[in-house]
Every structure is written in C-alpha cells, then in structure tokens.
DNA sequence: TTGACATTACCGTCCAGACGGTACAGTACT
DNA sequence: AGTACTGTACCGTCTGGACGGTAATGTCAA
C-alpha cells in the first residue's frame, strides 16, 4: 500500500546508464505523458499499456497493480532528484551552504536543459493522497539539512520556498515565466550565497 | 466545456454575506473535503451528494454535469482570491507596490487565520488539465500587475515565487513549515517593501 | 377565494460503459 | 528451461448521467 522503494523484480544495476530504456522506464514515461495530456483521472492501465507499446498483460507483469505503478512514479521522482542532489553536494565537498547551493544547482540544470516535469507524481497523489507522505518526509528532511548547513537559516528557508514556487509552476505547466526569467530567478538566489559571480552564462547550449 | 464564470440559475447577490450556506456552497465544500480525504480520482458524484446531504438527483439539479461542478470549484478558488486582493489593493489606494503588498497581505491573512486550502482545484485539474488554463491566465496577469506596479520588478517576481511556494506547500498539505515559520517568511517578504515595520500584529482578530 | 398551471428544488432508480484485475494459453528470445 | 512478454476472454464493481417522479411554493385569471 504505502511501501515505497519496493523490491524490483530484477537487478538493474548492471545496465548501462544511457542505455535503451527498460520496459519499466517506458511504462513510467507513458504514464507521465498520459497524465499530462488527459489528467490523472483518465490514467487507465489500458491507456498506459497502449502508449508504452505493450499489452495489458505485459504491463501487469511489470507492475502487478496500479498502486505499484503509481509507487514507481513517486519513487522515480524522488530518487532521481536525490541522486542529483548528492552529486552536487559532493562536488562542493559538503562545505558550508553546500546543500542550499546544491539544490539551486540541481534546479538550475533542470531549467537550463528544459527537462520536462515528470507529472506522474500528480497521478499518484490524485489516486491516493497517501503517496504524499514519503514526499513530505523527504522535503522535511531536505529543508532541515538546508537550514543546518546554511550560514543564514532564514535565507535557506526563503530559497526553499522560491524553488518550491518554481517547481510548482513547472509541475502545473504554469508557463507564467519564460525560461530566461526562471534562470534569472535561480541565479539571483545563488548570488545571495555566492555574491561574486564572475561570468553568469545566460543561454548555455543545450546538450 | 471551458466556459468559466457561467450564469448561475438565480441571483445570489441579495443573500446576506455570512448567511446560511446555499446548497451550492455545501456541495462545493463537500467536494473539496472528499478530494482532500480520498484524492481527486475518487471524487464521485455519489460521494459528494451524500456528504452534502442530498440525493444524486438533487446534486445534478444544481450542477448538471460533473464538469460544471469542477468549474464551480475552480471559479470559487479564483474569484475568492481576486475579491480579497482587490480589497487590499483599494485599501492601499492603488499606490506604488500596492499590488505586491496586497498579495502578501491576502496570504498573510490566510495563514494567520489558518484557512484550509480549498483543495477542490486539484480535483478539477486531475479530471481535466484544461481547467488549468483560466488559472494560468489569471496568474500571468497577476504577475504582470505585480511587476508593473512594483518599484523593483525582479523583487516582485521573487515575491511571487515565494508565495507560490507557500501556496503549493499548503495545497499539498506539505506541513514542512509550521504556522509561525510561514508567517515569518511572509513578514520577511513584506519587509523587503516596507523596511520599517513598527508594530507587527502577530494574531489580529478575525473580523 | 379558488382552481389551474408553472417553477423550483429536489428524490430514487436504472443503465451502458469503463475500469482494475484475473486467468491462461501461446510465443520468441536467451 | 526460463524469462519476458502477447493476446484474448472474462468478471465484478463503480460511475456519470438520464429519467420519471414529487412536494412545496408562486402566479394569475375567474
């Protein structure tokens, strides 16, 4: 029911990073796409199977129940962010303000690369508010870490809120700000911690 | 389909402000409550009718289709905010920064009074992402007005984002910050525009 | 004042269709 | 032989919504 990070049927750790997507990945992406297009309510297993290019039986082989699929959506969302975050923290040697700066860096990269928001979590939440719990826990912990590691905890909180604002705008595809404005906002945040930014890259090439 | 603010069956303008709730109001509140409890996907007309204390037939008399009910949810959300905002703007005589300050004031009041988030909009969005469009339009216009009216447009944008962050945390009941912290964050924003705040009222009486 | 009809605000029932899930036989690759 | 599916058929449940009724209230002419 609410068991997040459940055991996967097989070990994926041997797979290459930028390899061809697994069936699992294809299903998750299909679910996110459908959610974005027709809304979480209309996310049916039939539709996901069709979009992912497999049969319903095949889908239910990978995800035995719809709840497991939704769990997969949430798990992917959280773990992908966390991995990026830890990487950024490590590159800053876990020094002062490293958590805040890492958070900023992760979102900056996301906005620069114009990565689509995996709106699948909306589907999960819409089906069962209980899926919010792990996200709640994660965010609580994240904010805690940001504050403890920051020179100015209050400022860290403001950064958290601003980022959260950007994130929610993206989640709802609320294109109120264009990409440049979003990046400018993030850089403004960054400058609160690193006042001297010698060469702010305005429009870096998209890899 | 996407006609917001549709004609209501009768003129409610004669009704007193703090009067007994109309059937319409009861239905809308019931829908919001159910959404919060069991998630937008499980918002059924039967459940709403039961919660609101009338039959399904009666519900469908007030809202001929489910889509109309969802429209009602969105419309209520937007119009209630807008009314509060205009009132706050007027009380500041539409002077410089009045829009930004009004937005801050509205949310401050909301957090101080601990008003519950009408999570009904989540239900609307979950059923049909098209319901985001009017909200998108409104927010775009709001941000525009905040910027044009503000002494520092960039700062106005940061305020908008921070408020948006607080709002999304509340929408998802992401109780990461306690009430005092949220109010402190809002006051910090306010002080960016009104540096000298002589007597910040902590818990003003609800009028 | 009364009878005829209209409108409002509902109730209770019914139904076609969609959905999640099961079951199982078959198949292609490793 | 096992893994990872395909494809079809099916079941029970839930859902939106159509529909026919009904009680209360209002309107208006005779």
């Amino acid at each position: 029911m609410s068991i997040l990070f459940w055991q996967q049927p097989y070990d994926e750790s041997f797979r290459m990073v930028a390899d061809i997507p697994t069936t699992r990945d294809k299903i998750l992406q299909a679910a996110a796409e459908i959610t974005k297009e027709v809304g979480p309510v209309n996310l049916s297993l039939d539709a996901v199977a069709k979009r992912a290019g497999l049969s319903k039986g095949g889908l239910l082989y990978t995800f035995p129940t719809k709840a497991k699929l939704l769990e997969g959506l949430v798990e992917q969302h959280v773990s992908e962010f966390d991995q990026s975050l830890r990487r950024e923290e490590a590159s800053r040697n876990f020094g002062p303000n490293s958590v805040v700066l890492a958070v900023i860096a992760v979102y900056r990269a996301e906005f620069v690369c114009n990565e689509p928001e995996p709106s699948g979590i909306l589907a999960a939440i819409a089906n069962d508010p209980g899926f919010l719990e792990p996200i709640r826990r994660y965010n609580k912990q994240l904010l805690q870490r940001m504050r403890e590691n920051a020179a100015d905890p209050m400022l860290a909180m403001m950064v958290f809120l601003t980022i959260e604002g950007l994130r929610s705008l993206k989640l709802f595809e609320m294109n109120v700000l264009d990409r440049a404005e979003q990046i400018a906002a993030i850089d403004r945040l960054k400058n609160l911690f690193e006042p001297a930014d010698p060469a702010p890259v305005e429009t870096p090439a998209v890899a």
Side-chain angles (χ1 to χ4, degrees), chain A:
Chain A
M1 190 81 63
S2 62
I3 306 139
L4 208 61
F5 310 110
W6 80 99
Q7 207 58 41
Q8 284 180 216
Y10 58 94
D11 190 357
E12 264 189 48
S13 58
F14 291 109
R15 287 171 30 76
M16 294 290 98
V17 175
D19 210 347
I20 47 164
T22 58
T23 299
R24 197 189 144 83
D25 292 337
K26 280 191 285 186
I27 292 170
L28 256 19
Q29 208 202 316
E33 285 171 13
I34 291 167
T35 299
K36 195 185 286 183
E37 286 169 28
V38 296
V41 167
N42 305 309
L43 181 77
S44 67
L45 296 184
D46 286 280
V48 173
K50 190 179 281 183
R51 170 76 64 123
L54 46 77
S55 70
K56 193 176 169 183
L59 167 59
L60 285 166
Y61 177 80
T62 310
F63 292 103
T65 64
K66 191 178 188 180
K68 291 277 187 209
L69 170 59
L70 298 172
E71 267 183 28
L73 252 10
V74 176
E75 191 269 345
Q76 182 187 249
H77 181 77
V78 175
S79 73
E80 270 180 12
F81 172 80
D82 196 57
Q83 272 178 265
S84 302
L85 184 68
R86 302 291 174 172
R87 218 179 301 125
E88 289 288 341
E89 276 184 70
S91 80
R92 281 171 182 76
N93 297 320
F94 306 98
N97 292 328
S98 65
V99 183
V100 174
L101 288 168
V103 168
I104 292 172
V106 170
Y107 281 109
R108 192 184 197 285
E110 211 172 87
F111 280 105
V112 166
C113 300
N114 212 12
E115 265 180 36
E117 175 69 21
S119 50
I121 48 156
L122 270 185
I125 295 161
N127 271 271
D128 182 358
F131 283 117
L132 274 171
E133 195 45 46
I135 301 174
R136 219 179 328 245
R137 258 205 309 275
Y138 183 84
N139 273 357
K140 209 160 191 167
Q141 203 183 53
L142 174 61
L143 178 60
Q144 188 73 13
R145 294 208 300 125
M146 282 171 75
R147 281 165 144 168
E148 281 172 2
N149 175 258
D152 181 348
M154 179 70 175
L155 195 54
M157 183 174 86
M158 301 304 277
V159 169
F160 177 82
L161 287 175
T162 312
I163 294 272
E164 195 61 30
L166 279 165
R167 210 144 73 111
S168 98
L169 289 182
K170 197 175 181 186
L171 183 65
F172 292 121
E173 297 191 274
M174 198 77 74
N175 50 352
V176 168
L177 267 46
D178 62 35
R179 199 144 71 99
E181 288 173 320
Q182 290 173 334
I183 294 171
I186 294 177
D187 285 336
R188 174 95 170 216
L189 286 181
K190 199 166 70 174
N191 285 353
L192 295 173
F193 292 89
E194 290 174 336
D197 197 11
V201 185
E202 273 308 304
T203 50
V206 181

